[in-house]
Amino acid sequence: MGCYKYMEEVWRKKQSDVLRFLMRVRAWEYRQGNKLTRVSKPTRTDKAHRLGYKAKQGYVIVRSAVRRGGRKRQNPRGAVLGKPKHQGINHLKFERNLQSVAEEKCGRKFSNLRVLNSYWVNQDATMKYYEVICVDPSHQKIRNDPRINWIVAPVHKHREMRGLTSAGRKSRGLRKKGHRANGIKGGSYRAAWLRRNVLRLKRYH
C-alpha cells in the first residue's frame, strides 16, 4: 500500500488512540487562532488531493471554523408578531450544512480566490473545523493548466455562495442520480416542479 492508503486508514479510525490524541491537541491549537487561517499545507494530504488539490503555485488552503448547533431565530425577546406557525425560535435548523457555511465564510474573506472544495479536519464541543481548497484564478500556473483553468471563467465567481461546490450541491439534494433524481431533474426540485406544472403552448404566427 502507498502512504496515502495508510493515511486514509488512520483517518477512518477516528476513535483510535492516535487520532483522538492528535485531534484533542489540534482542537486546542485551533481554538487559540482566528476563525479563518491560511495554512501552509493540508492537514489531510490524501483527502485534499482526492478533492483536486495540487502542491503547486496558485493553490491555497484555508482552515475555517464554524459554530456548531442549530440556528436560533433572530427576534427581539422571541416576539415574532405573526401567525403561530412562525412562532418557533429555538428548535430551528439552518437550511445548508456547516461545511457549506465554512466555504462561504472563506469565500467572503478571500474574495480574490475561487473555492474548489473542502473537507472536515476537526471538531470540539462548540466548533467544527474545515479546510477549504482555494484556487487563484489570476495566477499563470492556474491559467495555463488545462485540468483546472475551467475555474478561471467568470461564471465560477463565488460558486460557494450559489451552492455549486460539492457541499453546496449536497444541501440542495443534487447528490442523486438515476430514478432517485426524478424530483430534481432540471437543476432543483423547484425547476422540476415548474416544468411539470406550467402550461406551455406553442405560438403560431
Side-chain angles (χ1 to χ4, degrees):
M1 292 198 301
C3 74
Y4 279 6
K5 200 67 183 169
Y6 284 110
M7 289 174 72
E8 189 183 337
E9 284 299 314
V10 169
W11 275 96
R12 192 171 286 161
K13 307 278 194 300
K14 293 183 176 61
Q15 293 265 311
S16 66
D17 291 348
V18 175
L19 217 58
R20 280 173 65 187
F21 173 74
L22 263 179
M23 281 163 58
R24 195 167 74 239
V25 172
R26 282 176 180 160
W28 177 85
E29 184 191 344
Y30 296 166
R31 275 199 298 274
Q32 313 311 312
N34 297 328
K35 297 283 192 295
L36 284 165
T37 312
R38 182 178 172 179
V39 292
S40 56
K41 57 178 184 289
T43 308
R44 301 176 63 182
T45 320
D46 58 324
K47 185 70 170 172
H49 279 274
R50 239 178 300 149
L51 296 177
Y53 173 77
K54 300 280 184 198
K56 60 188 249 182
Q57 292 176 337
Y59 284 86
V60 177
I61 299 282
V62 178
R63 188 175 60 246
S64 179
V66 258
R67 193 167 289 279
R68 295 174 65 179
R71 187 185 179 282
K72 186 175 178 181
R73 181 169 283 153
Q74 302 290 308
N75 284 95
R77 297 193 195 85
V80 172
L81 308 178
K83 292 190 169 66
K85 174 183 167 60
H86 302 294
Q87 280 174 352
I89 297 292
N90 280 326
H91 292 255
L92 306 175
K93 311 292 181 287
F94 189 48
E95 194 78 15
R96 289 183 292 130
N97 52 44
L98 292 180
Q99 186 171 353
S100 173
V101 175
E103 290 177 350
E104 183 184 339
K105 286 170 70 125
C106 176
R108 284 183 194 280
K109 174 83 171 173
F110 299 86
S111 53
N112 61 321
L113 304 178
R114 304 273 157 87
V115 173
L116 179 62
N117 223 320
S118 64
Y119 53 91
W120 178 93
V121 283
N122 210 327
Q123 69 186 51
D124 56 22
T126 54
M127 308 295 283
K128 277 199 178 191
Y129 300 95
Y130 296 93
E131 283 187 356
V132 184
I133 305 168
C134 300
V135 179
D136 184 356
S138 54
H139 201 292
Q140 281 305 317
K141 296 281 188 200
I142 300 298
R143 298 176 82 89
N144 294 337
D145 186 350
R147 285 176 299 189
I148 192 64
N149 64 6
W150 54 268
I151 209 166
V152 172
V155 74
H156 294 295
K157 286 179 183 177
H158 291 292
R159 46 203 299 274
E160 73 286 346
M161 309 274 191
R162 298 176 286 135
L164 302 183
T165 60
S166 183
R169 285 173 60 81
K170 183 180 182 183
S171 60
R172 288 166 61 201
L174 299 181
R175 283 275 175 90
K176 303 182 180 74
K177 285 189 174 181
H179 71 277
R180 291 185 183 86
N182 286 338
I184 51 169
K185 286 279 170 69
S188 67
Y189 70 90
R190 288 188 190 85
W193 180 90
L194 198 67
R195 193 176 67 250
R196 290 173 187 142
N197 289 276
V198 171
L199 180 66
R200 293 185 185 83
L201 301 172
K202 290 186 176 178
R203 290 180 61 189
Y204 296 100
H205 295 289

